[in-house]
Amino acid sequence: LEDALAGTGPADRATGARLLACLATDLYYADRVRADALSADAVREVEAAGDHGARVAVLNARRVAIWEAEHARERLATATAMVEAGEEAGDRAWVLQGRNWRVRDLMEHGRVREAEAEIEAYAAGAQELALPHYRWYAPLWRGTLAQMAGRWDDAERCCDEALALGRRAGDPNADLFVTTLRVQVEVERGR
């Protein structure tokens, strides 16, 4: 990525921004400070380039690079900008990824009603896109909200639905995330 970046000229800012974004994502676990700086540079470059398709990919990398508590407000703003950029680019998969981030960020902010609305918008988009990988998140989030409200039977039902959809999609995260939610429900039930 660094070699490719060195070969990118100033005339191709969108490609340079995408490369910076990829490098930032790759460095997230190894060097968070550098990932933060690179993703910020990528956002500046893509804004100057005015490329909506590149912008949404760069914003996603930015959202990953700032995945820490002190950046909670910026993460939500970045996820919101991702949804807008995905819509402008006509890329429904990127819109869903932006909504995915928004659900997480809204929940973290305690904005439950907005999170519920975002989950429903995500679920409608996932149904429309008809790619199995996207569909299992909505019941997982609904289960999380049910767990938070003490509606444990609803949470368990949502876990079953999320797990079935996630396994059908072949997504290994489904087992991990659903198990995590199930354990939380069992702990709260005192089991």
Side-chain angles (χ1 to χ4, degrees), residues 1 23 28 40 80-81 91 101 103 110 127 133 142-143 147 149-150 155 159:
L1 288 169
L23 186 57
Y28 174 73
T80 300
D91 191 323
W101 290 127
V103 169
Q127 185 69 25
H133 171 75
R142 289 181 188 123
Q147 176 258 332
C159 283

Side-chain angles (χ1 to χ4, degrees), residues 72-90:
R73 284 195 175 115
E74 183 183 353
R75 280 187 282 122
L76 180 55
T78 300
T80 300
M82 267 186 77
V83 171
E84 293 166 359
E87 288 171 346
E88 290 168 359

Side-chain angles (χ1 to χ4, degrees), residues 25-71:
T25 302
D26 283 354
L27 290 172
Y28 174 73
Y29 289 106
D31 187 346
R32 289 189 180 179
V33 172
R34 187 168 177 219
D36 185 349
L38 288 168
S39 68
D41 289 345
V43 170
R44 281 190 291 278
E45 285 297 308
V46 81
E47 295 296 341
D51 182 319
H52 295 302
R55 182 172 180 250
V56 71
V58 166
L59 288 169
N60 186 63
R62 179 67 183 157
R63 173 58 183 74
V64 170
I66 58 173
W67 201 342
E68 291 154 347
E70 66 265 20
H71 298 293

Side-chain angles (χ1 to χ4, degrees), residues 43-156:
V43 170
R44 281 190 291 278
E45 285 297 308
V46 81
E47 295 296 341
D51 182 319
H52 295 302
R55 182 172 180 250
V56 71
V58 166
L59 288 169
N60 186 63
R62 179 67 183 157
R63 173 58 183 74
V64 170
I66 58 173
W67 201 342
E68 291 154 347
E70 66 265 20
H71 298 293
R73 284 195 175 115
E74 183 183 353
R75 280 187 282 122
L76 180 55
T78 300
T80 300
M82 267 186 77
V83 171
E84 293 166 359
E87 288 171 346
E88 290 168 359
D91 191 323
R92 294 182 295 171
W94 275 121
V95 170
L96 284 177
Q97 181 57 43
R99 290 193 184 288
N100 178 326
W101 290 127
R102 277 186 49 79
V103 169
R104 296 163 195 254
D105 295 336
L106 288 166
M107 284 186 185
E108 186 175 336
H109 283 275
R111 293 162 61 178
V112 175
R113 296 244 189 272
E114 290 173 80
E116 289 171 338
E118 197 66 43
I119 290 167
E120 296 316 310
Y122 178 95
Q127 185 69 25
E128 183 180 303
L129 202 55
L131 292 175
H133 171 75
Y134 295 103
R135 295 185 59 222
W136 69 272
Y137 285 99
L140 178 78
W141 295 323
R142 289 181 188 123
T144 300
L145 292 176
Q147 176 258 332
M148 291 168 55
R151 296 187 334 269
W152 298 306
D153 290 340
D154 289 343
E156 286 182 3

Side-chain angles (χ1 to χ4, degrees), residues 132-134 136-137 165-177:
H133 171 75
Y134 295 103
W136 69 272
Y137 285 99
L165 290 170
R167 284 182 174 166
R168 216 173 305 144
D171 191 330
N173 284 327
D175 281 299
L176 174 64
F177 292 177

